[in-house]
Amino acid sequence: MDQAPDGPQGPEDQGPRHARSLPVCHRHPDRETGIRCTRCERPICPECMVDASVGFQCPECARGGASRPGGGISGVKRAPEASRPRTLAGGTITADPRLLTKILIGINVAVFVAVHAWPSLLDRLVLVGAWPPAPFHSTEGVAEGEWYRLVTSVFTHEAVWHVAFNMLSLWWLGGPLEAVLGRVRYLALYLCSGLAGSALTYLLAPSPSASLGASGAVFGLFGATAVLVRRLNQDMRPILALLAINLIITFGWKDEIAWQAHIGGLVAGIVIGYAMVHAPRRRRALIQYGTCALVLAAVVAVTLLRTAQLT
Ligand SMILES: [Zn+2]
Ligand SMILES: [Zn+2]
């Protein structure tokens, strides 16, 4: 069974928690946290939480436990798979917990540079096959079977402010999420959210709507971060305020911004994020990847439906 991350280990764990009274992570003094290592009782932030057989441990204690012959504290039974330290969501702990976020940012920046070097590339990458959007192009692209555009549009930006804003958000939200989820789960969350944003845009946006950008995936990271913050009993207000500001911008400029991509990504991020951090340990991977598969099935269904309408 999954154990709550905050057992009754210290006086600050009782009663309603206030952000100011929280201790800071012993490895990251700038991060407040309500969680302590179940072995040494030092405070640990989500990035430092290792999913041990009993609660969560700091990386030092987890390493100590895993390297012992037999791999466990005497008297505590360990399942063989639990003897390897894992992240909160069951992912593998890596030396560079933000490597994939860096690679994703690198791909986005490379595509941004490429479409400015060869502007005709935009026509090939955006959701609907014309940039700038033109009425006579309205059914080009996905409707003609170019499904790859559901993916490529997520990595394509045309305006500097657009790529800068999305990449800053990706770094702030994606870095911590990658550390907590592990690389494979994080990549699944990112791609499924981006695809859900593309699919909802394809379904609802009035044609012609070329639509491009990582915003759907970034809103997915928003949704998953909100779920994670709630799961860790941390202060929800900063993430909710940031999300509210982004939604106000989304709907305040909804003529220029594909709100469908933001909402599609956000909903997918909340659903997948919930599965990632709440799945019971016994069938964890099945529930986590099964939820991603359900989101992908919805993407396929929505795309087929809209293509049938357009052609
Ligand atoms: Zn410890
Ligand atoms: Zn930490």
Side-chain angles (χ1 to χ4, degrees):
M1 269 288 111
D2 219 355
Q3 191 175 322
D6 47 342
Q9 280 124 24
E12 55 280 84
D13 286 318
Q14 265 105 49
R17 213 169 270 138
H18 302 287
R20 272 181 204 181
S21 65
L22 286 177
V24 294
C25 174
H26 74 282
R27 301 170 80 232
H28 301 97
D30 58 322
R31 298 182 194 167
E32 293 183 322
T33 178
I35 299 141
R36 284 170 185 276
C37 171
T38 51
R39 266 190 164 181
C40 67
E41 304 208 338
R42 285 180 295 183
I44 39 175
C45 73
E47 192 171 323
C48 299
M49 287 167 66
V50 176
D51 185 25
S53 55
V54 182
F56 293 98
Q57 297 182 357
C58 68
E60 292 87 2
C61 289
R63 225 173 287 132
S67 63
R68 286 184 186 195
I73 316 159
S74 58
V76 179
K77 266 191 200 162
R78 274 173 182 247
E81 59 98 26
S83 60
R84 235 169 74 212
R86 295 193 164 269
T87 71
L88 165 67
T92 313
I93 291 173
T94 49
D96 181 355
R98 295 181 181 221
L99 179 69
L100 204 56
T101 301
K102 292 172 191 166
I103 292 174
L104 287 171
I105 291 174
I107 294 173
N108 277 282
V109 171
V111 174
F112 174 78
V113 171
V115 298
H116 280 266
W118 300 282
S120 61
L121 253 186
L122 268 176
D123 266 1
R124 314 290 326 155
L125 300 178
V126 294
L127 197 57
V128 174
W131 188 268
F136 49 87
H137 282 118
S138 59
T139 60
E140 271 188 16
V142 182
E144 291 178 343
E146 294 171 351
W147 282 53
Y148 69 87
R149 290 173 183 273
L150 293 170
V151 180
T152 55
S153 60
V154 173
F155 291 93
T156 308
H157 298 82
E158 205 264 332
V160 170
W161 66 267
H162 196 198
V163 72
F165 188 79
N166 277 345
M167 291 310 103
L168 275 178
S169 306
L170 174 51
W171 181 249
W172 282 331
L173 297 167
L177 270 177
E178 180 181 349
V180 169
L181 298 181
R183 278 176 198 157
V184 183
R185 287 168 177 80
Y186 170 69
L187 186 63
L189 166 73
Y190 188 87
L191 292 178
C192 291
S193 302
L195 279 168
S198 293
L200 201 66
T201 307
Y202 181 53
L203 178 69
L204 297 180
S207 54
S209 179
S211 188
L212 72 174
S215 313
V218 167
F219 267 75
L221 302 183
F222 259 119
T225 301
V227 172
L228 178 69
V229 166
R230 191 173 159 271
R231 164 80 162 90
L232 297 174
N233 282 338
Q234 289 173 336
D235 191 0
M236 293 282 290
R237 284 169 296 183
I239 183 75
L240 291 182
L242 204 56
L243 187 56
I245 292 168
N246 274 278
L247 287 174
I248 290 168
I249 294 173
T250 300
F251 287 98
W253 281 267
K254 70 174 171 0
D255 294 336
E256 291 103 89
I257 294 175
W259 63 268
Q260 299 90 347
H262 296 191
I263 298 302
L266 180 64
V267 171
I270 291 172
V271 170
I272 295 172
Y274 195 89
M276 291 291 177
V277 303
H278 287 279
R281 197 176 292 181
R282 258 160 22 101
R283 291 213 208 111
R284 183 157 55 192
L286 180 72
I287 292 172
Q288 289 168 332
Y289 293 118
T291 306
C292 294
L294 286 178
V295 170
L296 285 182
V299 166
V300 171
V302 160
T303 307
L304 287 174
L305 176 75
R306 182 61 172 160
T307 298
Q309 287 175 354
L310 286 175
T311 51

